[in-house]
Amino acid sequence: MIIRGKDKGETGIIKRVIRSQNRVIVEGKNLVKKHIKQGQGHEGGIFSIESPLHVSNVQVLDPVTGKPCKIGYKYLEDGSKVRVSRGFAASGAIIPRSEILKERRKPRPNIVGPKDTPIDLVLEKTYDAKTGIGMPDL
């Protein structure tokens, strides 16, 4: 839902996220007139295009109440991290992640590099609180 601007109160689907500018393009909203000069292979004229909105002017809708809400994060019993609705008139329901948010800007590296710590050193237990092994002398 758009919470500020000329399309305030209207809802739409986010088409594109511009992470570098903290902006989103909402489908069919925030239309502006664009004058395009005629060129080789395309016609000129005045076209309506969707202009980006700042992310602070857009809020996610609660899936249960249908009202705008803030997003909080919670861990389920199985250890998975989920988004939940929070704020005024929020139900606390789980908000599913949309496909556009599942895309990563930079893919995670799968190759172990020279500066990566080996997994056996990571999992090695170096401190035990009960016996006091590994406690530094102060």
Side-chain angles (χ1 to χ4, degrees):
M1 177 178 273
I2 299 172
I3 57 172
R4 284 189 185 85
K6 65 181 181 182
D7 292 327
K8 179 180 177 178
E10 297 183 18
T11 60
I13 298 169
I14 291 180
K15 244 169 69 170
R16 192 169 142 222
V17 178
I18 308 168
R19 292 182 193 259
S20 62
Q21 299 176 0
N22 287 335
R23 293 184 177 273
V24 293
I25 295 178
V26 182
E27 192 172 334
K29 307 294 178 216
N30 200 28
L31 295 173
V32 294
K33 299 284 187 186
K34 183 86 173 172
H35 294 259
I36 298 176
K37 196 182 229 185
Q38 184 176 358
Q40 219 172 15
H42 68 275
E43 257 183 64
I46 303 170
F47 297 100
S48 292
I49 62 163
E50 297 145 347
S51 181
L53 287 163
H54 197 266
V55 292
S56 64
N57 299 333
V58 180
Q59 266 190 323
V60 175
L61 291 178
D62 191 321
V64 177
T65 62
K67 299 195 177 210
C69 65
K70 295 179 180 179
I71 296 176
Y73 291 94
K74 193 189 268 188
Y75 290 94
L76 297 178
E77 293 83 28
D78 62 349
S80 60
K81 186 178 177 183
V82 293
R83 302 186 316 164
V84 293
S85 62
R86 67 177 190 85
F88 183 72
S91 64
I94 294 174
I95 301 172
R97 287 187 72 79
S98 60
E99 291 298 319
I100 202 161
L101 292 176
K102 291 180 181 175
E103 299 172 9
R104 290 188 61 88
R105 285 183 279 175
K106 297 177 185 172
R108 289 192 174 131
N110 296 335
I111 304 162
V112 178
K115 294 187 177 181
D116 291 331
T117 308
I119 193 72
D120 54 337
L121 286 176
V122 171
L123 297 176
E124 182 184 344
K125 192 173 182 180
T126 57
Y127 173 69
D128 190 11
K130 291 182 182 174
T131 59
I133 297 172
M135 187 71 177
D137 296 325
L138 298 176

